[in-house]
Amino acid sequence: MLVSGQPAGVSAEISAWTGNGPEGGSIITLAIDPITPATLYAGTWYGIYKSTDGGGNWSPVNTGLTETDITTLAIDPLTPSTLYAGTSTGGVFKSTNGGGVWGPANTGLTDTDVLALVTGPTALYAGTFGGGVFKSTNSGGNWSPVITGLTNLEVNALAINPTTPDTLYAGTNGGLFKSTNGGTNWSPANDGLTVPWISALAINPVTTTTLYAGTSDGRIFKSTNSGTNWSPAEAGLLGTIVYALAIDRVTTTTLYAGTDYGVFKSINSGGDWVAVNTGLNFPYTYTLIIDPITPTTLYAGTDGGGVFKSTNGGAGWNPVNTGLTATFIFALAIDPETPSTFYAGAWGSGVFKSIDGGGSWSAANTGLTNLDIYALVIDPLTPETLYVGTFGGGVFKSTNGGGIWGAVNTNLTNTSILSLAIDPNVPATLYAGTYGGGVFKSTNAGGNWSPFNTSLANHYVYALAVNPATPATLYAGTYTGVFKSTNGGGNWAPVDNGLTNAWISALAIAPPAPETLYAGTADGGLFKSTNGGGNWSASDTGLLANVVFALAIHPKAATILYAGTDNGVFISTSGGAVWNSFNDGLPNLSIASLAISPVRPFTPLAGTEGSGAFAAQDPINMIHLPLVMRSP
């Protein structure tokens, strides 16, 4: 026998990742150009998107944004190509070309957790979580704290009087405060305001003595004398928190409230409210904006569903998310018989399905009453059957490829599911790892469940792995290490020798060598065992990340494996001995999930925290492996 070619593990150029969805996701803030209202901006947990056609199409505009957790957006009303973005960790960023390029604008801003921004003709104000209010008089060039009299420095909302811009209001976790001198001094303005946590503010743009305050317990208060006195204005309102308030600039008796129960509308200045949620199938509404020229057109930013648009004053809504891929993909699976069929489980958005290899995605949520997906598995023998684990809603099952779902939670006493595993030989046997409730097992395809928790009760089980050769052997990754069972979960024992970090976030077993397994940790890198967990050693040379969220092993080349981390995807062609980054084409390096097709074309998938899912080509043909030839 002759061997030629490069030695195993020598890497060549590998294809780039490509992604096209799923679309939607969590929209934290929206802004609209006051002069050209077809131009919109959407702030997400991973960057900013821009639309120039009223939400018809979106594109990311993140160049220069070194922090992408966007909490608030503000547009200069006189020069709307200038805009500002507040972040939860990086302070304020500024763009002077409509989001084309961003740069930090934080000089003097000593608290960089920014929750609110408002612009006036001569000043810009930032509300922070812990530092109070900051003011800039040179378009963000420099900031100074303006907190005299502001006895609560956790500022959730700001509002500025459009006719007398030295008058502004700050909604805090300790009530409402008012300044009449551009923030130099503040005074409490809480008479009649019985709820101290103010989450939203709005000022009537015509009658500026009238203002509204939304609270953290789902109430709305109204003042008609510039905050001197308040009274409830909430009849018909439902929800536990008011996230947003918006007032029609033309008909100022019409206003809207975004809540965790959807959008509510009042046509009598808050006298009473009615729900206007037709078509708004993601109720959590974080942000609302109204077209200043055509106020029957409004936009809602939702938790999980992206942006919705109404052109009839809220009577009906439609999603407008083309190009807006802000989804959090916490679980991925590939159909073993039709490998161009992908499934993605998204936090807040439910399940998506692609039948064209990720070229396009569609929601597959019929029957899902909980859309916070943490885990997803496919029956390997009957791939039309799949299961998802939700946080708070338990396990759901579909027998028609995600067409319809039904809950399968009988005797599942903990319904916050962190992980799922399926017996590859007897797929009616399932395991569910829970948040604080250990492991549950079903032997009848989810028909009913029983706790299998000897030595594992009350554990948080973030990962599960079943030995494909001996399915009675399985492993559970918890926040206190790895546990092993050799009798189908009947008993568990810790297998931690050599593990220097106990919080296990991912597990993977090498199919042809099931005694070889890998454990990814939440803060200690990657570990490998070659004796079924008996001993562990670090396996992270070149792995430039401590947090490993996901692992995947090539089904036909067990020395090729992937690690999804908080610093992107890494690939090893040497069984974990050496790692190299594999991030070309990934705009987001926070990887929450991985999958690889069990059959050709062995497509790897990566799910991100806030930018959707991405696919790459099978690396086995992109890497120089030994060429084995028989002698004549």
Side-chain angles (χ1 to χ4, degrees):
M1 184 175 67
L2 302 176
V3 179
S4 66
Q6 292 178 302
V10 177
S11 62
E13 183 180 356
I14 301 176
S15 68
W17 296 90
T18 58
N20 191 36
E23 293 169 337
S26 294
I27 309 302
I28 309 304
T29 181
L30 289 168
I32 190 166
D33 187 314
I35 298 173
T36 310
T39 296
L40 310 166
Y41 301 88
T44 75
W45 287 127
Y46 200 86
I48 299 170
Y49 291 80
K50 180 179 181 178
S51 173
T52 58
D53 58 2
N57 297 278
W58 298 87
S59 299
V61 285
N62 295 321
T63 300
L65 275 179
T66 55
E67 299 291 341
T68 54
D69 45 350
I70 309 301
T71 55
T72 181
L73 292 167
I75 296 179
D76 187 315
L78 303 179
T79 310
S81 59
T82 295
L83 57 153
Y84 304 88
T87 71
S88 65
T89 55
V92 176
F93 289 79
K94 177 182 178 180
S95 173
T96 58
N97 59 355
V101 179
W102 297 86
N106 291 323
T107 301
L109 192 68
T110 55
D111 187 330
T112 56
D113 188 353
V114 178
L115 298 181
L117 287 168
V118 291
T119 57
T122 60
L124 172 67
Y125 299 89
T128 69
F129 189 77
V133 178
F134 290 78
K135 180 179 181 178
S136 173
T137 56
N138 59 357
S139 303
N142 301 91
W143 298 87
S144 299
V146 283
I147 58 174
T148 300
L150 196 66
T151 55
N152 189 293
L153 301 181
E154 297 172 344
V155 179
N156 303 309
L158 291 170
I160 191 167
N161 189 313
T163 57
T164 55
D166 277 342
T167 297
L168 60 152
Y169 302 86
T172 76
N173 288 353
L176 186 77
F177 293 82
K178 178 181 178 180
S179 174
T180 58
N181 55 6
T184 301
N185 302 96
W186 297 86
S187 299
N190 295 315
D191 187 17
L193 199 62
T194 56
V195 179
W197 188 346
I198 309 302
S199 50
L201 289 171
I203 297 178
N204 186 312
V206 177
T207 309
T208 57
T209 55
T210 297
L211 56 153
Y212 302 86
T215 71
S216 64
D217 66 347
R219 303 185 66 187
I220 293 177
F221 292 81
K222 177 181 178 180
S223 173
T224 58
N225 55 7
S226 302
T228 300
N229 305 101
W230 296 86
S231 57
E234 59 199 24
L237 190 71
L238 298 176
T240 60
I241 185 170
V242 176
Y243 292 109
L245 290 168
I247 300 176
D248 185 322
R249 294 176 182 235
V250 177
T251 308
T252 58
T253 55
T254 296
L255 55 154
Y256 301 86
T259 77
D260 55 337
Y261 277 50
V263 178
F264 288 78
K265 180 179 182 178
S266 173
I267 58 173
N268 57 1
S269 302
D272 53 76
W273 298 82
V274 294
V276 285
N277 292 325
T278 300
L280 191 72
N281 51 5
F282 287 81
Y284 276 78
T285 303
Y286 288 148
T287 178
L288 287 168
I289 53 172
I290 300 176
D291 186 315
I293 297 174
T294 309
T296 54
T297 296
L298 57 153
Y299 303 86
T302 68
D303 179 21
V307 178
F308 285 76
K309 180 178 182 178
S310 174
T311 57
N312 54 8
W317 297 87
N318 290 295
V320 285
N321 292 318
T322 300
L324 203 164
T325 56
T327 45
F328 280 64
I329 308 301
F330 282 172
L332 289 164
I334 301 174
D335 187 315
E337 294 182 359
T338 310
S340 60
T341 297
F342 302 162
Y343 297 91
W347 179 264
S349 305
V351 176
F352 293 90
K353 181 178 182 178
S354 173
I355 59 174
D356 58 3
S360 61
W361 297 82
S362 58
N365 291 330
T366 301
L368 274 180
T369 57
N370 185 302
L371 300 180
D372 294 331
I373 310 299
Y374 252 118
L376 170 62
V377 293
I378 292 181
D379 183 322
L381 304 182
T382 311
E384 286 292 295
T385 297
L386 52 155
Y387 304 83
V388 293
T390 71
F391 196 82
V395 178
F396 290 79
K397 177 181 179 180
S398 173
T399 57
N400 60 354
I404 299 175
W405 298 88
V408 285
N409 292 326
T410 301
N411 298 324
L412 189 65
T413 55
N414 187 312
T415 57
S416 292
I417 309 301
L418 299 178
S419 53
L420 289 171
I422 192 166
D423 186 320
N425 299 325
V426 185
T429 297
L430 299 162
Y431 301 90
T434 69
Y435 186 80
V439 173
F440 287 76
K441 180 178 181 178
S442 173
T443 57
N444 57 359
N448 52 61
W449 299 84
S450 300
F452 273 64
N453 283 327
T454 302
S455 302
L456 201 62
N458 302 319
H459 276 70
Y460 298 78
V461 181
Y462 294 94
L464 288 166
V466 177
N467 185 321
T470 312
T473 297
L474 60 151
Y475 302 85
T478 77
Y479 71 101
T480 57
V482 178
F483 287 76
K484 180 178 182 178
S485 174
T486 57
N487 59 357
N491 301 92
W492 297 88
V495 284
D496 292 336
N497 187 42
L499 276 178
T500 57
N501 187 287
W503 191 328
I504 307 302
S505 47
L507 289 170
I509 296 176
E515 290 297 296
T516 297
L517 59 152
Y518 301 87
T521 71
D523 194 34
L526 184 72
F527 293 81
K528 178 179 181 178
S529 173
T530 57
N531 59 356
N535 300 94
W536 298 88
S537 59
S539 183
D540 53 13
T541 300
L543 189 70
L544 306 178
N546 287 325
V547 180
V548 179
F549 292 120
L551 293 167
I553 300 176
H554 196 289
K556 296 299 181 182
T559 57
I560 299 176
L561 59 152
Y562 298 89
T565 77
D566 62 344
N567 193 30
V569 178
F570 288 80
I571 185 170
S572 174
T573 62
S574 56
V578 178
W579 295 86
N580 292 285
S581 63
F582 180 23
N583 293 326
D584 189 19
L586 285 176
N588 182 342
L589 298 184
S590 187
I591 307 300
S593 54
L594 291 170
I596 187 165
S597 172
V599 296
R600 290 191 183 278
F602 306 122
T603 302
L605 296 180
T608 68
E609 291 189 338
S611 297
F614 293 78
Q617 293 183 30
D618 170 24
I620 201 167
N621 295 320
M622 309 292 291
I623 297 173
H624 297 297
L625 296 174
L627 175 62
V628 179
M629 302 178 292
R630 294 192 177 276
S631 302

